[in-house]
Amino acid sequence: MKKDLHLSGSICYNVKGKKDAGKASAAGRLSKDTGWKQLLEHYLPRFLEFFFPHIHGEIDFSRYTFLDKEFQAVARGAALGRRYADKLIKVFLKDGTEQWLLIHIEVQGHEEADFAKRLYVYHYRIFDRYDREVVTLAVLTDENAAWRPEIYERNRWGCCSIFRFPSVKVLDYRRRIKELEESTNPFATVVLTHLRIMRAGSDEKRRLAWKIRLVKSLYHKGYEKKDILNLYIFIDWLITLPKSLDKIFHERIRNFEEAMNMPYITTAERIGIEKGRVEGKAEGKAEGKAEGKAEVALKLKELGFDRETIQKATALSDKELDSLKIE
C-alpha cells in the first residue's frame, strides 16, 4: 500500500512600502499573505511546475488534499511571533513507493534578518512532529537582488548544524519577460505582476498602465473565466491605486470587457466582490441583509468562485452555505 507524501505550505508575503491607496477592493482588503495563499490553493501543481519542476515531476496531483487543521497543530507549537505556516497538503508520489515526506513552502516579500533561522525552526518542528524527511522551499519576491538567504548554520567546538534550502528569486526573471508574457502558467502572470510593480515604483500612472495591461493579458492568453477572476483578484490585491486612478482602471476594464463580450470582472465587481461586503436589499435590516448575502453567494457560485472565497465575501456561516448547496 502506498504511503502518503505531505506537503506543508507556509506562505509569508509582505509588500514593502505597500499603501492602501484606493478604495477597498476584493483583493485590497485581503490579508497581506492571502493573495499568494489563494493562488497556491487553486494552482498548486502549476506553482511547482513553474518554480520547482524537478519536484513537480515526482508528485501525483490527481489526489492531493489540503489538510489545514492538521497543520495548525504544528503552527501552534512554534511560538515565533509572526507565524505564516498554515497549509498542509496531502499528495502522493508517482513512483508508487511507500516513502512519504513533507515539503514546506515559504513565499517572502521583504528582507528579514532571521529568515533562514525561522525556516530552520519550522523545518525541525515539522520533522519533530512527523519524524519524516522535510524539504523546505522559498520564493523571494523582494527587490534586493543581493538578498538571497539559502543557508542557516551553527558551529561550535566541532558541533555543527547546517540547514540549506532551495530558493527562487523573482528578480531573476527580469531577463525572461517575453517568455513570461507568452506563458499560460498562472505563475508567469504572478511573476510579471511583481516585476511590473517594481518597475513602476511610486509612479501611480505607470502602475495604472501596467495594471490595465496585465488584466487585459488574462483574456488574450485564453484563460477560462475562473482563472481570469482568480488572477484578477491577485493583480488587484498587489497593485493598489488612488481612488481617482482606480476609477479610470475600472472604466477601462469595463469598456474592454464589453468589446470582448466577456464581462467577467465587471459582473463580479458589480455583485459585491469589489466592496467585499454585502449591504442587502433592505439596508439596515438583518433579514434584508441575509437575503442579499444569499443572492450574492449564488451569483459568485455561478461565476466559478470557490466556497472559501464566497464565505469571505459574504460572511455566511457554514450552515448557511450548506443550505445554498455551495460546495
Side-chain angles (χ1 to χ4, degrees), residues 24 26 30 57 108 269 324:
L30 300 178
Q108 178 76 4
E269 296 287 359
L324 296 173

Side-chain angles (χ1 to χ4, degrees), residues 191-289:
V191 170
L192 264 178
T193 304
H194 279 287
L195 294 176
R196 294 315 191 191
I197 198 171
M198 290 178 194
R199 185 173 177 182
S202 59
D203 188 331
E204 301 290 3
K205 290 185 177 180
R206 292 187 70 183
R207 290 162 67 95
L208 169 64
W210 283 125
K211 187 171 184 177
I212 292 172
R213 182 171 172 176
L214 285 163
V215 171
K216 287 183 176 180
S217 74
L218 304 179
Y219 296 83
H220 296 318
K221 288 187 176 186
Y223 286 124
E224 295 182 1
K225 176 175 64 177
K226 64 179 182 179
D227 300 320
I228 290 175
L229 290 169
N230 287 334
L231 288 167
Y232 160 69
I233 288 176
F234 179 84
I235 294 169
D236 190 41
W237 166 76
L238 191 60
I239 305 180
T240 57
L241 297 168
K243 289 184 179 180
S244 59
L245 295 184
D246 192 55
K247 182 178 180 180
I248 294 173
F249 165 76
H250 286 288
E251 289 176 352
R252 297 277 183 87
I253 296 303
R254 186 180 303 111
N255 293 337
F256 172 76
E257 285 192 322
E258 288 177 358
M260 295 284 291
N261 194 28
M262 301 169 76
Y264 304 155
I265 294 172
T266 303
T267 302
E269 296 287 359
R270 186 173 65 245
I271 64 174
I273 289 298
E274 180 186 29
K275 293 184 178 179
R277 61 181 182 274
V278 182
E279 296 178 353
K281 294 180 179 179
E283 188 173 0
K285 296 182 179 180
E287 183 177 349
K289 288 184 179 181

Side-chain angles (χ1 to χ4, degrees), residues 9 24 34 69-70 77 91 116 130-131 155 164 179 211 215 221 230 232 256 279 292 297 311:
T34 303
K69 291 182 180 179
E70 289 81 352
V91 300
Y130 293 96
D131 192 24
N155 189 353
R164 188 184 301 274
E179 179 184 342
K211 187 171 184 177
V215 171
K221 288 187 176 186
N230 287 334
Y232 160 69
F256 172 76
E279 296 178 353
Q311 191 165 35

Side-chain angles (χ1 to χ4, degrees), residues 44-57 61 185-186:
L44 175 67
R46 305 304 300 275
F47 168 82
L48 290 172
E49 178 186 37
F50 187 85
F51 291 113
F52 304 100
H54 61 294
I55 295 174
H56 174 271
F61 289 104
N185 189 303

